[in-house]
Amino acid sequence: EVQLVESGGGLVQAGGSLRLSCAASGFTSDDWTIGWFRQAPGKEREGISCLSSDGSTYYGDFEKGRFTTSSDNAKNTVYLQMNSLKPEDTAVYLCAAAQYRYCSGFYDYWGQGTQVTVSS
């Protein structure tokens, strides 16, 4: 079974940076996609990005520029680099995975999430 473990969250001042990690294990093939999401209290879950095992990255409607997704395939880990953080970025950040070759918007596995709090 695929397992995902997020880490790297914490408290940061506005303007600061954090790098979140999503360590994946249990993939049964070389094809996978991992997405980053966030959910703030009282708000709907928001998709941030999707990265596929071939290295393609999609950001959809999410604002690009401040957040960057990358991976270390040797470590089965996907990263979310967040810069110029704002208080409105405060949320639980989650990663999700599926064993598809391309990002489809559908995920079968979810991590527990890591809290990011940005103080003003």
Side-chain angles (χ1 to χ4, degrees):
E1 181 177 338
V2 174
Q3 293 187 329
L4 305 170
V5 179
E6 300 100 332
S7 62
L11 175 64
V12 63
Q13 288 188 333
S17 299
L18 282 175
R19 189 178 79 158
L20 307 183
S21 300
C22 174
S25 62
F27 286 136
T28 57
S29 76
D30 292 334
D31 294 333
W32 51 261
T33 62
I34 291 180
W36 279 106
F37 295 81
R38 69 182 183 183
Q39 186 156 22
K43 295 186 177 180
E44 291 188 357
R45 188 172 60 203
E46 179 181 21
I48 298 172
S49 63
C50 176
L51 185 145
S52 58
S53 50
D54 69 352
S56 300
T57 308
Y58 303 92
Y59 291 93
D61 294 332
F62 191 82
E63 62 168 302
K64 291 185 284 186
R66 294 190 300 122
F67 290 16
T68 304
T69 298
S70 62
S71 68
D72 183 338
N73 286 7
K75 297 181 180 180
N76 274 0
T77 299
V78 173
Y79 303 100
L80 181 66
Q81 177 68 43
M82 306 186 295
N83 299 325
S84 302
L85 285 163
K86 305 173 183 178
E88 51 264 42
D89 294 319
T90 295
V92 174
Y93 286 71
L94 309 101
C95 62
Q99 295 225 238
Y100 302 140
R101 178 169 295 182
Y102 305 110
C103 291
S104 66
F106 296 98
Y107 298 94
D108 299 307
Y109 309 97
W110 290 83
Q112 293 298 310
T114 185
Q115 176 71 45
V116 171
T117 302
V118 184
S119 63
S120 57

